């Protein structure tokens, strides 16, 4: 099993140095560490983050590559820049405040080598608050290609921070494009249009930090408008039919616009998580 894959990450002003340090350590401590980490600094960041980044660069300048952006360009654009600088065909996505499971990359590379037809491979995530062992929920996604295609018509079928994909296949679908809050979902939809093969592993591959602010980010008019436009795109491309479109939009309007944060959090934790 080779380690010819890149891990792409981005940081911005809102990230914490201690979380970034824990995320990078979880990558390096994997049973199959990557050939390189490509980190995009999305606009100005604080001195603590800068110090941590420069430490990683000095320790391993050949395999820890940093791209500095003068202005914040958003997550989708930062991912695209990271992909442009990644030197490997296989790419793993990671967030700057999450933790990889120790065998994440070994499991994913083994699967991709055994199933070369697969373009995108994700897995399940466990969400925690504060202490890493304080698990408050798990997001379990469908495993096989057919189920993923069905799920995609109503919800994003991947946990984005867990994905491991072929760079050439993602680029052939246009790569990451700016789409407010939904760059990843938009990408999977476009890849589905081209008939690429998807899969998810049943294991928890990443532990994700969450909190009350997570539900605030998933609500509000801007978030709803982004989701509404995505549903319109799927309707126009005949991925979903008009009744499914109406149902999807209604649910999102209720959840993202009408529900207060506490109620939205309750729904996510009890109906959208295991």
């Amino acid at each position: 099993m080779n380690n010819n894959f890149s891990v792409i990450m981005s940081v911005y002003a809102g990230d914490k140095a201690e979380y970034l340090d824990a995320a990078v350590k979880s990558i390096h401590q994997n049973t199959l560490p990557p050939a390189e980490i490509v980190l995009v600094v999305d606009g100005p960041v604080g001195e603590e983050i800068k110090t941590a980044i420069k430490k990683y660069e000095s320790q391993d300048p050949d395999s820890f590559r940093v791209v500095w952006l003068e202005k914040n360009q958003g997550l989708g654009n930062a991912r695209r820049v990271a992909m442009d600088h990644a030197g490997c065909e296989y790419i793993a996505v990671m967030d700057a405040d999450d933790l990889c499971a120790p065998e994440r990359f070994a499991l994913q590379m083994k699967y991709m080598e055994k199933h070369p037809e697969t373009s995108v491979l994700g897995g399940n995530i466990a969400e925690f608050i504060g202490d890493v062992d304080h698990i408050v929920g798990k997001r379990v996604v469908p495993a096989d290609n057919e189920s993923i295609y069905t799920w995609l018509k109503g919800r994003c079928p991947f946990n984005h921070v867990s994905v491991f994909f072929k760079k050439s296949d993602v680029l052939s679908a246009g790569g990451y494009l700016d789409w407010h809050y939904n760059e990843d979902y938009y990408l999977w939809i476009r890849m589905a249009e081209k008939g690429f093969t998807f899969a998810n592993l049943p294991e928890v591959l990443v532990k994700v930090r969450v909190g009350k602010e997570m539900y605030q980010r998933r609500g509000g008019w801007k978030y709803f408008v982004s989701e509404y436009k995505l549903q319109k795109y799927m309707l126009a491309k005949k991925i979903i039919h008009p009744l499914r479109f109406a149902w999807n939009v209604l649910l999102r309007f209720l959840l993202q616009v009408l529900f207060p944060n506490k109620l939205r959090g309750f729904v996510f934790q009890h109906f959208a998580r295991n």
Side-chain angles (χ1 to χ4, degrees):
M1 192 187 313
N2 70 76
N3 73 330
N4 188 29
F5 66 96
S6 307
V7 173
I8 62 171
M9 306 173 64
S10 67
V11 294
Y12 74 110
D15 286 321
K16 294 184 178 181
E18 61 183 295
Y19 292 169
L20 174 62
D21 190 55
V24 172
K25 284 181 179 178
S26 76
I27 295 171
H28 285 152
Q29 291 170 358
N30 250 248
T31 56
L32 184 69
E36 64 175 5
I37 297 174
V38 180
L39 177 69
V40 172
V41 185
D42 191 14
V45 293
E47 288 303 318
E48 288 187 1
I49 287 275
K50 285 183 182 178
T51 300
I53 293 170
K54 290 175 181 178
K55 178 187 69 175
Y56 306 138
E57 280 187 298
S58 63
Q59 288 176 345
D60 202 351
D62 294 329
S63 63
F64 194 94
R65 303 166 60 191
V66 184
V67 183
W68 300 83
L69 303 180
E70 289 186 9
K71 296 181 180 180
N72 180 272
Q73 298 184 18
L75 187 56
N77 290 321
R79 301 275 196 213
R80 187 174 66 250
V81 171
M83 277 189 62
D84 289 341
H85 286 81
C88 301
E89 165 66 354
Y90 288 117
I91 292 179
V93 174
M94 183 71 180
D95 268 2
D97 54 359
D98 298 333
L99 302 171
C100 275
E103 295 186 352
R104 172 191 171 180
F105 302 132
L107 289 170
Q108 291 184 297
M109 181 59 81
K110 181 179 180 180
Y111 184 96
M112 295 295 266
E113 289 180 343
K114 189 175 180 179
H115 303 276
E117 75 283 0
T118 303
S119 298
V120 183
L121 174 66
N124 299 324
I125 61 171
E127 296 172 335
F128 69 96
I129 296 177
D131 187 273
V132 67
D133 294 321
H134 181 209
I135 304 298
V136 296
K138 292 182 181 179
R139 186 170 188 258
V140 177
V141 284
D144 64 276
N145 188 60
E146 183 178 354
S147 298
I148 290 172
Y149 268 64
T150 299
W151 184 290
L152 178 138
K153 296 176 182 180
R155 297 170 61 189
C156 183
F158 291 104
N159 291 307
H160 190 208
V161 296
S162 74
V163 295
F164 192 101
F165 55 70
K166 292 180 181 176
K167 180 179 180 179
S168 58
D169 289 349
V170 168
L171 290 177
S172 73
Y176 285 100
L177 299 175
D178 188 36
W179 193 292
H180 192 57
Y181 294 122
N182 284 290
E183 295 88 355
D184 57 324
Y185 196 1
Y186 183 38
L187 174 58
W188 315 138
I189 290 169
R190 287 181 283 117
M191 292 188 74
E193 286 183 74
K194 290 181 172 289
F196 286 112
T197 300
F198 298 148
N200 279 307
L201 295 176
E203 292 87 358
V204 169
L205 299 182
V206 181
K207 290 186 176 181
V208 178
R209 294 180 193 274
V210 298
K212 292 180 181 179
E213 68 277 2
M214 178 184 73
Y215 304 120
Q216 294 173 356
R217 290 197 302 268
R218 292 182 179 181
W221 185 252
K222 286 185 178 180
Y223 200 107
F224 169 73
V225 170
S226 174
E227 292 262 8
Y228 172 74
K229 290 180 178 179
L230 204 56
Q231 297 301 316
K232 280 191 68 176
Y233 178 89
M234 287 199 286
L235 178 64
K237 295 293 183 177
K238 298 183 178 180
I239 297 171
I240 57 176
H241 52 69
L243 285 177
R244 183 60 185 264
F245 167 78
W247 177 247
N248 287 350
V249 170
L250 175 62
L251 285 178
R252 283 160 171 79
F253 183 75
L254 290 172
L255 185 61
Q256 296 160 2
V257 179
L258 296 186
F259 284 12
N261 287 334
K262 286 186 178 180
L263 182 55
R264 186 184 306 121
F266 178 85
V267 171
F268 267 105
Q269 287 187 313
H270 291 83
F271 298 100
R273 296 295 186 269
N274 294 84

